[in-house]
Amino acid sequence: MNYFAHSENSVGRREPLRHHLEAVSQHAASLATSFGAADEARVIGLLHDLGKYGDLFVKRLQGREHGIDHWSAGAWEALVRYRLNGVAAALAIQGHHIGLQKAGCDNDLHDINPEKAAPNRRASHPNHAELLERLTIDGVALPPLTDSLFDYKRRYDQFAAAMLDVRMLFSTLVDADFLETEAHFTAVRRDPPPSLNPGVALEMLLRHIQHLAQNANANPDVQNMRADLLDACRRAGRREQGLFTLTAPTGTGKTLSMLAFALEHALKHELRRVVMVIPYLSIIEQTTRVLRDVFRDMPDPNRYILEHHSMTGIRNDGLRGSVITDEDNSNEALREARHLAENWDAPLVVTTSVQFLESLFANRPAACRKLH
């Protein structure tokens, strides 16, 4: 029997379940490579839709059933097969539709049962062993998992860091699943975003700062203060990674000096993105205008900078993260910005504290999707 991941797409094609599992697995692994969790992400990609091998899910694709839980089976298998190394995987798989759950002693992770569905749902199949048999017959092999980001031996005061690791892993699964599902239904795969290219960006920024200095009417003492601040920020950017603070009065060029720090830091440590978190919308809009002027000659400038806040018309809502769009989809630039906002797939992101903190503390897949 053939098993499928989704219903027909815009060109009448159905995606074999095996293809979807392998595509999500590879995509999630590539996203998790930068923080050393590729093997774990590969596993969650293969297991996340295990329940779609169930008879009731087959009927769901035929329009004969609804309200089917196809994720608990994969979460259960992660726990049974990988034991403590499978806790993070189980949480990620369980949460990719219903939201990330707790891993404490009082939650339902201990109550996951392959033949017991999530609330208000029905399990996709009554026999867990048959799901695994169908997975194997379909040619999907589950690799070993000898380590995990989630270290159950961490001290209590380190537990927040452990859960951040779980969130990072969760975000790779959600993002990979979104992107692969989108590619199926639209029959179009998104182009990769432009690179941060911090060396080139830094050169552009320094030229811009020099141009401003040459055309400024400021007092020489103020000009010297701006130059000193820029030099200090650049020197700090070449230091080892850590926490840095910058305190300087109004008019000293903090915005551009901070960006110079970030680009120097990205250049030294081979970082991929710069995220500027700003509390006030007026400052965000002002900052973004400056940045767009600085990087207007960067290849693909519309995708190089993402301005993400409530006033831009970009919003992520709902458990599965639908994006609010204009009625006629006539604004190409706005549509592109909304795509980028779903997972912050831009090298330079300017956003609010709310957006940033939601990724760290919310449990919804849409909010956590961009965290990695």
Side-chain angles (χ1 to χ4, degrees), residues 124-286:
S124 66
H125 201 70
N127 189 320
H128 185 71
E130 284 187 6
L131 292 177
L132 290 175
E133 182 181 2
R134 292 172 183 180
L135 179 76
T136 302
I137 292 174
D138 216 11
V140 179
L142 297 174
L145 186 60
T146 58
D147 196 13
S148 173
L149 277 178
F150 182 77
D151 183 0
Y152 65 94
K153 295 179 181 178
R154 281 181 189 256
R155 300 193 312 270
Y156 184 77
D157 61 352
Q158 297 176 324
F159 194 69
M163 288 310 298
L164 177 59
D165 289 339
V166 173
R167 285 175 174 277
M168 292 286 282
L169 187 68
F170 175 59
S171 74
T172 65
L173 173 60
V174 173
D175 196 24
D177 191 27
F178 265 94
L179 289 171
E180 293 301 329
T181 301
E182 176 191 77
H184 164 70
F185 279 111
T186 63
V188 176
R189 190 169 292 276
R190 294 190 202 178
D191 293 330
S195 169
L196 176 62
N197 209 337
V200 173
L202 183 60
E203 289 179 7
M204 289 183 175
L205 175 62
L206 295 178
R207 285 199 302 269
H208 181 82
I209 293 174
Q210 184 180 25
H211 174 76
L212 292 177
Q214 290 172 347
N215 292 275
N217 295 319
N219 182 287
D221 290 338
V222 174
Q223 291 278 50
N224 290 335
M225 185 181 294
R226 290 172 177 169
D228 288 344
L229 182 64
L230 175 62
D231 182 61
C233 286
R234 292 189 65 190
R235 283 188 280 108
R238 301 182 194 115
R239 291 167 56 185
E240 293 305 308
Q241 290 177 280
L243 298 178
F244 299 82
T245 61
L246 169 61
T247 304
T250 301
T252 53
K254 289 191 297 294
T255 298
L256 297 181
S257 293
M258 284 190 294
L259 182 57
F261 160 82
L263 293 174
E264 289 277 13
H265 215 50
L267 186 61
K268 177 176 176 60
H269 299 290
E270 299 182 349
L271 306 179
R272 298 172 298 144
R273 281 177 177 79
V274 172
V275 180
M276 302 184 73
V277 182
I278 300 174
Y280 304 112
L281 295 183
S282 60
I283 301 177
I284 289 179
E285 292 174 335
Q286 174 186 332

Side-chain angles (χ1 to χ4, degrees), residues 318-337:
L319 193 63
R320 291 294 291 170
S322 58
V323 178
I324 308 303
T325 59
D326 53 326
E327 290 184 2
D328 59 359
N329 276 339
S330 60
N331 190 326
E332 183 65 33
L334 184 58
R335 289 204 306 276
E336 183 62 37

